[in-house]
């Protein structure tokens, strides 16, 4: 039996469904899951995968005491002929996500109490409490709203403003879960104490019905209430002596003993609109939830009097929050990034320039117009993106100045360009289907497809892209690939072997995307320039291949290689999607916070306590396949002799 799997295709800029071996998706789930990370979490209750649980139970000698039921809990039957002979008197579960209830914990507990367990049973965990803290943060607010963008032109400053509909939109209803410990305290102003918002006692009947919970507080400072930071803790026993908390370092009782986790992080919620608060003037923060989601509102009066006003979950009605991710909002709002494009465009634009822009939901067409382009065309191949960009152009009185072409670039016709030749092909490049850094090479394929519509002397911006790599030691991210061994006295080697077997499959050997600003690491090698892609020329017919080696100049464990793209916008103007500054003596890395970098985890990590025979090196082979757009790679660790 075959299965269908989605894969990004850089040659078409779309996600395509491919037929794969029946074990393919199963193995990817194992290889790229965080199960190992969960087991390394010493505070955590863990239920192994059903297909591994039976073997693990057998190996540890509990086959006569533990029965594995390979069913969803709502399908379990109780009775003489059922899966369980009688109702249980202890309920042990782990159904939580970063938001606590996002994986269906409430309806699952509700069903269990009604059908699977005895009244007055004990539950492990016993209780969970959700906490919240109100803050003002321009950085985090930039992940949710479109800010005015300033463009310096020969005629003075022009300001690109968001449409009123986008300004008033309450935003995306989903939580933004991040490693909040990597957000600097300088990036936000605390407006409230940490507030316990609501608790759930899992040993009693649980309700999945919608509810709201209000906490009155006095603001600690005056400012603009924009963001609610939230996390939870669980008490494993009724007395609360054994506790597991997701609190960030500034709210943690033992910051030095902070347990790193990637399966449970912290939540960022955006208020529907920013609201002014005055120090000492009492307000009510209200947590609302349905059976799967939590959202927050700020009120000046008791929620009992106006609960219906905020009972409905906020939904985006402007399209922007449906098309742009939170990092994409931050990227568009990055004024320094805009200035870099502006400076490059000034050197590219000539009198009478005809520009064609190819990037999803980009403001570059507006920059080109303000900087003097005679005519600007932009391709938006989705109706939703076309609608959003039309709103933005209209809000800036540019609806008659920029022509939106709603079709795939390879279907472009001479009539779409009104019979004109393009003198400047422009891209960030950014495409919503891109997962790995080189997926944005779709821009190169577009450049090739529209070649006949370019003037002989046409300029392409960016002029080129380059792939870079560096070998790193992660502070914590390595745990998601680290063997479990024994967990609380249980032999988990069966699971380790299953994960290792999964890693032998084709795609598991490829790189995977991670936002590395959330995952500190230090470089062991210097950055290496691996491949160059010349956008001034069409995509070549033959593969491009690079081989080389990176010397490990700093001591440490080689956990993997990080890869990213850099774009040459114009001569002397480079834009990096990876490292943002030169490495210091200790090799600490600062990554572009708007982009995900590609991580290739090494299957074997050298023991840092064993001195190598000579300078350690990592050799690599990287190949770009033009017919598929894939970049394949292999890294090999070795010790070289003096």
């Amino acid at each position: 039996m075959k299965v269908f799997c989605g894969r990004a295709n850089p040659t078409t800029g779309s996600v395509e469904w491919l037929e794969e071996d029946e074990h393919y998706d199963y193995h990817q789930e194992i290889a790229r899951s965080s199960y190992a990370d969960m087991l390394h979490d010493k505070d955590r209750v863990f239920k192994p995968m059903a297909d591994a649980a039976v073997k693990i139970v057998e190996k540890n000698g509990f086959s006569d005491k533990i029965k594995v039921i390979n069913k969803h809990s709502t399908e379990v039957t109780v009775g003489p002929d059922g899966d369980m002979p009688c109702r249980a008197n202890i309920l042990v579960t782990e159904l939580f996500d970063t938001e606590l209830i996002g994986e269906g914990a409430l309806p699952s507990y509700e069903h269990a109490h009604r059908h699977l367990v005895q009244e007055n049973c004990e539950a492990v965990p016993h209780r969970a409490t959700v906490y919240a803290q109100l803050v003002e943060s321009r950085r985090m607010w930039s992940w949710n709203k479109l800010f005015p963008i300033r463009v310096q032109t020969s005629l003075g400053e022009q300001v690109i403003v968001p449409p009123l509909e986008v300004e008033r939109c309450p935003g995306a209803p989903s939580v933004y879960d991040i490693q909040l410990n990597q957000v600097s305290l300088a990036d936000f102003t605390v407006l409230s104490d940490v507030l316990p918002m609501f608790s759930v006692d899992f040993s009693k009947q649980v309700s999945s019905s919608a509810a709201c919970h209000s906490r009155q507080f006095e603001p600690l400072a005056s400012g603009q209430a924009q963001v609610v930071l939230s996390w939870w803790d669980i008490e494993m026993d009724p007395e609360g002596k054994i506790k597991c908390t997701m609190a960030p370092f500034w709210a943690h009782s033992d910051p030095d003993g902070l347990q790193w986790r990637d399966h449970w992080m912290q939540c960022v919620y955006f208020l529907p609109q920013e609201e002014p608060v005055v120090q000492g003037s009492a307000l009510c923060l209200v947590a609302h939830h349905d059976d799967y989601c939590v959202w927050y509102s700020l009120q000046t009066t008791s929620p009992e009097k106006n609960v219906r006003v905020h009972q409905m979950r906020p939904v985006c009605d402007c399209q922007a929050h449906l098309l742009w991710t939170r990092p994409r909002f931050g990227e568009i709002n990055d004024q320094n990034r805009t200035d870099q494009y502006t400076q490059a465009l000034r050197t590219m634009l000539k009198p009478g320039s005809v520009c064609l822009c190819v990037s999803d939901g980009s403001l570059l067409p507006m920059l080109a117009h303000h900087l003097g382009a005679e005519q600007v065309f932009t391709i938006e191949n989705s109706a939703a993106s076309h609608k959003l960009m039309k709103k933005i152009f209209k809000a800036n009185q540019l609806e008659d100045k920029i022509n939106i072409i709603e079709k795939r670039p390879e279907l472009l016709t001479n009539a779409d360009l009104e019979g004109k030749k393009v003198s400047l092909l422009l891209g960030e490049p950014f495409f919503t289907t891109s997962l790995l850094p080189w997926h944005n090479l779709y821009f190169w394929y577009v450049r090739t497809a529209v070649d006949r519509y370019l003037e002989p002397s046409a300029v392409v911006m960016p002029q080129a892209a380059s792939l870079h790599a560096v070998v790193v030691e992660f502070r914590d991210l390595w745990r998601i690939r680290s063997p479990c061994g024994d967990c609380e006295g249980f032999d988990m080697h069966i699971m380790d072997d299953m994960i290792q077997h999964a890693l032998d499959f084709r795609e598991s050997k490829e790189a995977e995307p991670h936002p590395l600003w959330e995952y500190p690491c230090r470089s062991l090698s210097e950055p290496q320039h691996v491949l160059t892609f010349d956008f001034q020329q069409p995509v070549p017919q033959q593969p491009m291949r690079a081989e080389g080696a990176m010397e490990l100049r700093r001591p440490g464990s080689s956990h993997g290689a990080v890869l990213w793209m850099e774009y040459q916008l114009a001569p002397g103007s480079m834009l990096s999607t990876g490292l943002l500054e030169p490495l210091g003596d200790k090799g600490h890395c600062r990554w572009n916070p708007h982009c995900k970098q590609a991580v290739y985890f090494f299957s074997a990590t050298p023991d840092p306590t064993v001195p190598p025979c000579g300078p350690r090196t990592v050799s690599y082979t990287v190949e770009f396949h033009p017919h598929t757009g894939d970049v394949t790679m292999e890294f090999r660790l070795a010790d070289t002799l003096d």
Side-chain angles (χ1 to χ4, degrees), residues 497-550:
D497 294 342
M498 183 171 58
I499 292 176
Q500 187 58 50
H501 177 63
L503 289 170
D504 291 336
F505 274 65
R506 168 172 56 84
E507 188 165 308
S508 302
K509 297 179 181 179
E510 299 176 1
E512 55 191 71
H514 289 280
L516 291 188
W517 75 268
E518 297 184 55
Y519 304 102
C521 62
R522 48 186 292 272
S523 69
L524 303 185
S525 72
E526 293 304 306
Q528 184 98 346
H529 183 158
V530 179
L531 283 173
T532 297
F533 311 95
D534 184 1
F535 294 163
Q536 291 293 121
Q537 303 298 324
V539 176
Q541 294 297 310
Q542 300 301 317
M544 298 168 57
R545 183 183 177 94
E547 295 183 353
M550 292 179 280

Side-chain angles (χ1 to χ4, degrees), residues 252-271:
H252 202 283
S253 59
D254 180 20
D256 294 332
L258 203 65
Q259 169 75 51
W260 181 85
R261 300 177 174 91
D262 196 44
H263 46 277
W264 293 332
M265 296 184 277
Q266 293 80 34
C267 301
V268 176
Y269 296 96
F270 304 99
L271 293 177

Side-chain angles (χ1 to χ4, degrees), residues 84 86-92 116-123:
M84 297 168 55
C86 62
R87 287 177 174 247
N89 57 11
I90 299 179
L91 177 60
V92 182
L116 303 179
V117 299
Q118 301 172 10
E119 189 176 357
N120 299 319
C121 77
E122 185 50 69

Side-chain angles (χ1 to χ4, degrees), residues 177-199:
D177 52 339
I178 65 171
Q179 294 283 0
L180 203 52
N181 288 311
Q182 299 309 313
V183 177
S184 169
L185 291 176
D187 283 332
F188 61 93
T189 300
V190 170
L191 299 179
S192 78
D193 290 319
V194 175
L195 306 173
M197 297 306 300
F198 64 93
S199 295

